[in-house]
Amino acid sequence: MFKFSFQVEPEDESPSTTSKDEEAKAESSTEESKSTVKGDSDVYPCEELDFESSQSNKTAVNPDVTSTFTPGAELAIDYLNHLALLDETFTDDIVTAETDHSDLIPNRYEGGLKVWECTYDLGEFLSACEERRAEFGGKKVLDLGCGAGLLGIEALLLDASCVHFQDYNKDVLTKLTMVNYDLNCRSSTESDESKEQKSTPVEVKFFSGDWGSFTEKYDETYDLILTSETIYSTQNYAKLLQLFDRKLEPSGVVYLAAKTYYFGVGGGVRLFEQAIDADGRFRHEVVWKCCSGVKREIVRITRKL
């Protein structure tokens, strides 16, 4: 059994602000050598995962192992916390990450089992006013690098017509994202009247694997792409920008939440802005900042017309 070495936090405490850059500082040179980025031939290819078959043996979730994220008024998202994952069995890649006390093994495990602080930032930003909430109505949304899937679930609760969840690791999607989606969007307690009011069917899909493979293999395009804590590695910037170009509708918007700088890893908002400028296909604007503690930002990205 895979055992997470997380500290249990009281329910009334705010989400952990331990950052990927802080985790990276603590890694030894031996661990860094294990994390050398490999070529694209070594990445996991993208594939679509079937929800029904992946969740066929799941049992009811104990409320004691869930937490609640409240991004805005009348909007609450329940999700599995670390207690729910203590007795899960995971693939060798994730077991290795835990053994090495690392949240990141490039091209093997990308930290998806942990809800990072920028996800909370972006979730709250998107629900902060009616104008932003209205952006989701009837729209097609991609939760890129979704992890627990909080942003995609928020989009569904805000009446998006289609949400696709993408994360690198299958285990993250089947043991965390799908369960959270089921908790919030497929509840057996939902009234028949409420179901009837949803006249338009909502499309939900789940994709695992590499961004480059996802870009090439599937022709899906989106009105909104939501992504959090995905620019810590500069080596993936070209791949990410190519995904934006192929997957974003002409009038679409990307909302990207990230730390200003990821110490020990090398990426950050300023470096990604430089990559956007050099690429030449997109405009970018910082629409939110946190200047206390670990500096974090939200960037709005659109196509150049």
Side-chain angles (χ1 to χ4, degrees), residues 78-181:
D78 295 325
Y79 63 98
L80 297 183
N81 59 37
H82 47 272
L83 296 176
L85 303 174
L86 289 176
D87 293 320
E88 284 282 5
T89 302
F90 291 90
T91 58
D92 289 345
D93 292 332
I94 299 178
V95 174
T96 299
E98 170 61 11
T99 301
D100 290 349
H101 304 290
S102 173
D103 285 308
L104 174 66
I105 300 179
N107 291 353
R108 289 295 171 262
Y109 171 63
E110 300 288 344
L113 290 173
K114 183 172 181 176
V115 181
W116 298 92
E117 54 268 41
C118 289
T119 298
Y120 299 113
D121 294 338
L122 184 52
E124 291 171 354
F125 174 84
L126 294 171
S127 289
C129 66
E130 286 303 318
E131 182 180 358
R132 288 189 209 129
R133 287 180 173 226
E135 285 190 71
F136 290 91
K139 297 298 178 61
K140 192 170 183 179
V141 179
L142 172 64
D143 186 350
L144 184 68
C146 63
L150 300 187
L151 299 175
I153 292 168
E154 182 175 357
L156 287 167
L157 297 178
L158 292 174
D159 297 324
S161 62
C162 166
V163 173
H164 292 175
F165 296 88
Q166 185 280 335
D167 198 89
Y168 190 73
N169 295 95
K170 288 184 185 179
D171 270 2
V172 171
L173 289 159
T174 60
K175 299 178 188 296
L176 183 61
T177 318
M178 289 182 179
V179 180
N180 291 338
Y181 161 66

Side-chain angles (χ1 to χ4, degrees), residues 147-214:
L150 300 187
L151 299 175
I153 292 168
E154 182 175 357
L156 287 167
L157 297 178
L158 292 174
D159 297 324
S161 62
C162 166
V163 173
H164 292 175
F165 296 88
Q166 185 280 335
D167 198 89
Y168 190 73
N169 295 95
K170 288 184 185 179
D171 270 2
V172 171
L173 289 159
T174 60
K175 299 178 188 296
L176 183 61
T177 318
M178 289 182 179
V179 180
N180 291 338
Y181 161 66
D182 195 42
L183 276 173
N184 292 277
C185 305
R186 288 167 52 97
S187 172
S188 59
T189 60
E190 186 178 24
S191 68
D192 291 337
E193 180 181 355
S194 175
K195 292 176 182 177
E196 289 174 3
Q197 289 175 354
K198 298 176 181 178
S199 56
T200 304
V202 176
E203 178 184 285
V204 176
K205 293 183 179 181
F206 301 86
F207 298 93
S208 69
D210 175 64
W211 289 340
S213 176
F214 176 58

